[in-house]
Amino acid sequence: MSTESSPLLSYRFFRVAGAAEMPGAAQEEAPLVVGVGGLASGGPHHDPARQLSTFFGVVVPTVLSMFSIVVFMRIGFVVGHAGFLQSLLMLVVAYLIISLTVLSVCAISTNGAVQAGGAYFMISRTLGPEFGGSIGLMFFLANVCACGVYVLGLVEAILDVFGANGAESPGAKALPQGYLYSFLYGSLILLLCLVVCLVGAQIYSKAAFFIFLVVNIVLITIFASFFAVSPREVVISRDSNQSFNAFFTGFNISTLRDNMYARYSQDYTTNNIMSFATVFAVMFNGCTGIMAGSNMSGELKNASSSIPRGTIIALVYTFVIYFLLFFMTSFTCDRALLQGDYGFFRAINVWPPFVLIGIYAASLSASMSNLIGASRILHALAKDDLFGIVLAPAKRVSKGGNPWVAVLYTWALVQLVLLVGKLNTIAGIVTVFYLVAYAAVDLACLALEWASAPNFRPTFQVFSWHTCLLGIVSCLVMMFLISPAGASGSLGLMLLLLGFIHLRSAASSWGYISQALIFHQVRKYLLLLDIRKDHVKFWRPQILLMVANPRGGSQLIKFINHLKKGGLFVLGHVEIGDLDTMPSDPIQAHYNFWLSLVDKLNVKAFVDLTLSPSVRQGTQHLLRITGLGGMKPNTLVLGFYDNCVPEDYFLQDPAFSQARENDEFGVDLTALQAHFPSVREGESQRALSPAEYVAIISDAVKMHKNVCLARYFHLLEKELPSSSSKKRMEGCYIDVWPLNLLRPDTPTYVDICSLFLLQMACILTMVSSWKAARLRIFLCVESGDVGWVSKEEKLKELLTKLRIKAAIQTVTWDQVVALHGHQQAGGDSQGKEGPTSGAAPLPPRPPGKEAREAFLNAATFHVTDEYLASVNSLLLRQGGQTAVRFLYLPRPPADTSQYQRYLEQLEVLTTGLGPTLLIHGLTPVTCTEL
C-alpha cells in the first residue's frame, strides 16, 4: 500500500507506519561474558543507571507505542470498511505476526545480560557486526524519521483546531499558519522533547507515565461514552461545504448486524477504493511498537525478566482494548458514521476535548520516545565503532550516563527532517524499517536455535524454530504489503550497509553465529558424505601439501590452490620434537600464524600441524588423520628434494613488505615474518635426508595416496610474461608426457597413472587464470614404428571421450631409445630387452602380471645418466613457452638401498625444465559415462 493512499482523515501524520520505539541508554559492557547473550560480571542490578521497573520501563512505553494515535483515529476506518468479522480477523492475524517476534525477543533477552541498544544489541551480538550495524543504522533512521513525522503531525493537529485556517472551533483561530510557521512550531515542540531527553531517561519515564495515565483516562471516557451518550445524529461536513447525516445508535443489534460484514468503498481522504490488503496494512501499522520496552534494556533493573513479562502484558492489554473498541464501535455506530468520519470518537464523547487531549498526548509521547530511542541506538553504534570517526563523538556521556552528544546528533537530524515539511512519502518506509528489524530479531533467534549451541538456553521456552521462521516470513510479507517500493529500498540499503561494514573488516569479540551454524551443518553433511558411495565421475583432488617453510614455497601453495578444483586443500607442516620433553604443546600457538598466511596468500586451504620426532613419521600421521569422514586427502604433494636455494617469497611480494595493523587474531606482518625463519641455504640445515624423502613417497603409495613432486615452482611467475593473469597465459603451453620416461618400453599411454596426469592437467586448464594456456600431449614414437598413426588415433579418440581439448604432438625419439639400449619392433608393445649402456644386464623377464610389474619397476633404476640427460634434452627441445610440465613419476623401488639412485635419476630428468609436476596416480579418476 502506498503511503499517499493511507486513509487517515485530515491528520497527515497519522499515516506514519509504525509505532514509537525507545531503546534504552547505552551502558558499557562488562568485561566478563559468559553464554550467548553475555552474562556480565556485576550484573545489571549493580548499575546505578538501571532504575526502571517492569511497569515503567516496559509496559508503559510499549503500550504507548502500540496505541500512539492509532487507537483514536483508525478504529472507525477499519470497522467501517472491513466490518466487524474481518476487522477481528485482521486484529488476530496482526497480533499473531507481532507475537511471533515477541517470542523471539523474549527468548534472546532471557539468554543472558542484555545491554543497552535494544534490538540493535540483540541482533549485533547474535548475527555479528555486519547485520547488527546495518540494521541498527536503519533502526536509527526509522526512529529519526518517525520522530519528525510525529512532531509535524502534532503541529497539524494543533493547527486544525487553533490555526488561523482551522476547520474546527471557529472562535479559537489564533495561530498564524504557513510553511515557516509550521517549521517554527515543530522546532519548539522538538526543543521541548530535547530538554526532556537531555535531562535523562528518568524524567522521560515520569513524563511517559503521565501521558500513559492521560491516554488511559481518555480511553475510559470513550468506553463510558458508548454507554452514557444517548443515540444521536451526527452531521459530517466536507471541505467543499457538503454535509450528510450519520447516526450513533447506541447498543443496537441491528447496527451490529449491519456492521458484521465488509463493505469496502471509497476512502474520503484519498478517493481510493479500499480493499482487505489496504485496510489490513493500515491496521497493522498501528501494532508495530512491540520493542519499545525491550529497547529500554539499558535502564531496566532486571532486563532478562522485565522484557518478556512487560512485553507480553502490554501485548495482551492492547489486544483487549482494540477488541473492545472494535466490538463496541460495531454495536453502536452505523456504517455511514464510520466511513464518513474516522475521528468520530470526538463526536460521540461525553466531552469532545478529551479525544483531542489524547491525540496531543499520544503524539508528544511518540515524539519523545523516538528522539530518545534514536539517540540510544546511535550511542550504541558509536561505542561499537562500526562506522569509524563519523560517529566517534556520540560515545560521550554525561556524569549520569546520559549520551548527550548522541541526543544532540539525533535532534539535529530531526530538525533536518522537519525542513521537509510533509513526510507522507517517508512514512511508509518507517514501518518497513521497523519490520526489517523485527525480521532480523526473528532471524537471530532462529540462528541460535538452529546452531544448537550449548550456551543458548533461554529461560523463556515458549518458542521454537518454527515460530522464528514464521515470524521472518510474516514480517517480509507485511513489508511488501505495506509498501513494495519501501520494502525493496530498505533491503537494498541494508545490503549496501552490510557490504560497507564488511569491507571495513569490523572485528568483534561478540562471537559469530555463522561459525556455529556452519559447524552444525558441516557436521551433518560430513555424516552424510559416505566414502562407500563415492563414484569415479565425481572424483576431485583432495590435496595434502607438505610445506617446510612458506617463505620459499608460497608460489607452490598458490599453484596447488588452482589444482584443487573445489576439493579439500590442506597445508601440512611437521615440527621436529618430542612432546615428552616439552612443558606444553608448541603447535597450538602456531596455528594463527599459518592461518594468517593462508589469508595473506588468498588461498582456500586448511592448516594441519603436527609434532613428531621425524618428518617421515609426522607425514604419516598427517596422511592418516588429516580430514574427517569423506573429506580426507587422496593426494600428497611434496616439494622436490634438491640443492636449489629457494627464493624468499616474503621479500618479493609487496603484500608481505607493507606494514599493516594487527588482524583480528593479533598477528601483524612483523610477527608473521618473524615466525617463519629465513629460507635454508645449505644441506646442513635440512631436517630430512634423501632416503627419508623417498621413503615418504613410498609410504604414501603404500597408503594408496596419489603422489605429486613439484620442482622449480618458485620460477613460475618469472618464466611467464609480465601482464594480467589471463593475457600472460596466451601462447603458453601446459605440456603432458603421459609415458614413463624412465622406462620407454612400458606398454601403454592409458594406464591409471597416465590418465591421472591428463586429469590434473585438464583441471588446471579449467581455472580462469589458466584458460588461455593450451594443453599439449606428447606421443613418443620411433621412426621404425609403423603403428604410430594408430596410436595417435586411439589417443585422439580417448581425449574425445574424456572431453579434454588438447593438441597431440608426435615426437621422434630414436636417439633417446638407442641410449636405453632398446629397439622397439613396429607395433610390438612388449619390445625386446637389450644391453644397457653403463648398467648391469637384466635377467629375462618373468611370466605373470605381478612378477612382470616388479621386474619393470626394478628395470627402471638401471637406466644411465646419459639416457636421462638425453630425455631431459628432448623435453627442453619442444618449441613454445611452456608454463608447466606434467611428467610420469615411477613408483619408488622396493629396495631401500636404491632410494638414493631413484632420487638422483629424477633430479637429472627434470634439471632446468622449469615448473614441473611429477605425478604418480593410483586411483581411477576419469569417466566416459554420463
Side-chain angles (χ1 to χ4, degrees), residues 130-427:
E130 290 92 348
F131 270 98
S134 58
I135 295 173
L137 187 61
M138 292 173 62
F139 205 32
F140 166 73
L141 295 176
N143 278 271
V144 168
C145 293
C147 180
V149 170
Y150 280 121
V151 169
L152 288 174
L154 179 55
V155 170
E156 292 188 15
I158 293 173
L159 291 179
D160 278 339
V161 177
F162 301 104
N165 302 321
E168 303 179 18
S169 305
K173 298 179 179 179
L175 297 177
Q177 291 183 243
Y179 171 78
L180 292 178
Y181 282 110
S182 295
F183 177 74
L184 175 62
Y185 303 148
S187 298
L188 292 175
I189 295 172
L190 185 61
L191 183 61
L192 174 63
C193 298
L194 174 64
V195 171
V196 173
C197 293
L198 285 177
V199 173
Q202 292 297 317
I203 188 66
Y204 165 77
S205 65
K206 294 177 181 178
F209 176 65
F210 174 74
I211 295 173
F212 177 79
L213 291 178
V214 172
V215 170
N216 279 276
I217 290 172
V218 173
L219 286 174
I220 292 172
T221 65
I222 290 175
F223 284 120
S225 298
F226 285 119
F227 297 93
V229 175
S230 59
R232 63 176 62 175
E233 184 178 6
V234 179
V235 178
I236 301 175
S237 300
R238 291 284 184 259
D239 294 338
S240 58
N241 296 324
Q242 296 178 354
S243 62
F244 61 91
N245 297 332
F247 295 93
F248 171 72
T249 64
F251 288 95
N252 189 307
I253 192 66
S254 298
T255 304
L256 179 62
R257 191 180 298 114
D258 182 63
N259 290 329
M260 190 66 68
Y261 302 102
R263 193 182 302 166
Y264 296 105
S265 61
Q266 189 179 53
D267 167 39
Y268 72 86
T269 65
T270 61
N271 296 323
N272 293 330
I273 300 298
M274 293 294 99
S275 65
F276 182 90
T278 55
V279 174
F280 179 64
V282 172
M283 163 65 206
F284 185 79
N285 286 346
C287 304
T288 55
I290 54 175
M291 296 188 67
S294 60
N295 286 336
M296 292 291 293
S297 55
E299 279 82 17
L300 295 173
K301 291 180 181 178
N302 191 345
S304 294
S305 62
S306 295
I307 289 175
R309 190 187 315 159
T311 305
I312 292 174
I313 290 173
L315 204 67
V316 173
Y317 176 71
T318 54
F319 178 83
V320 171
I321 296 297
Y322 274 124
F323 172 78
L324 292 176
L325 288 175
F326 281 165
F327 176 72
M328 292 185 177
T329 297
S330 303
F331 220 129
T332 59
C333 302
D334 69 0
R335 184 83 66 164
L337 178 60
L338 298 178
Q339 292 186 349
D341 184 6
Y342 302 148
F344 71 98
F345 282 146
R346 297 191 303 278
I348 67 170
N349 201 273
V350 291
W351 188 49
F354 265 135
V355 178
L356 289 176
I357 292 172
I359 292 173
Y360 296 160
S363 301
L364 186 61
S365 170
S367 302
M368 288 192 299
S369 176
N370 281 278
L371 181 62
I372 196 170
S375 67
R376 269 44 177 186
I377 297 171
L378 184 65
H379 177 61
L381 284 167
K383 282 203 311 175
D384 290 337
D385 197 28
L386 299 181
F387 294 94
I389 195 173
V390 178
L391 299 183
K395 299 178 183 179
R396 300 185 62 180
V397 296
S398 65
K399 292 181 179 180
N402 187 30
W404 61 274
V405 177
V407 173
L408 291 177
Y409 262 48
T410 309
W411 169 79
L413 288 176
V414 178
Q415 280 289 156
L416 293 177
V417 173
L418 292 181
L419 287 172
V420 178
K422 309 295 181 183
L423 292 181
N424 293 343
T425 55
I426 301 178

Side-chain angles (χ1 to χ4, degrees), residues 516-528 628:
L517 287 171
I518 291 170
F519 178 89
H520 186 262
Q521 291 305 112
V522 167
R523 182 189 62 84
K524 280 186 175 181
Y525 290 131
L526 279 175
L527 291 172
L528 295 175
L628 197 62

Side-chain angles (χ1 to χ4, degrees), residues 495-507:
L495 292 177
L496 287 176
L497 292 172
L498 192 148
F500 170 76
I501 299 174
H502 180 73
L503 289 176
R504 286 195 75 244
S505 300

Side-chain angles (χ1 to χ4, degrees), residues 684-756:
S684 60
Q685 296 181 359
R686 297 188 181 184
L688 187 66
S689 67
E692 190 178 6
Y693 175 81
V694 179
I696 292 174
I697 302 173
S698 180
D699 292 341
V701 172
K702 291 177 183 178
M703 298 168 71
H704 208 66
K705 305 292 183 183
N706 309 299
V707 180
C708 301
L709 306 184
R711 191 176 190 187
Y712 293 126
F713 273 90
H714 62 282
L715 303 176
L716 181 61
E717 295 293 332
K718 289 186 176 182
E719 296 193 354
L720 297 177
S722 57
S723 58
S724 64
S725 58
K726 286 188 177 180
K727 287 186 177 180
R728 67 183 175 184
M729 288 299 171
E730 293 179 0
C732 293
Y733 294 101
I734 299 172
D735 290 351
V736 180
W737 296 79
L739 181 68
N740 185 355
L741 296 173
L742 296 187
R743 190 64 183 169
D745 58 345
T746 46
T748 178
Y749 273 83
V750 290
D751 62 2
I752 287 178
C753 188
S754 299
L755 291 176
F756 194 94

Side-chain angles (χ1 to χ4, degrees), residues 7 16 27 264 303 306 393 467 636 673 689 752 794 870 879 929:
V16 62
Q27 305 296 330
Y264 296 105
S306 295
T467 62
L636 174 68
Q673 291 185 336
S689 67
I752 287 178
K794 288 181 179 180
S870 178
E929 298 177 0

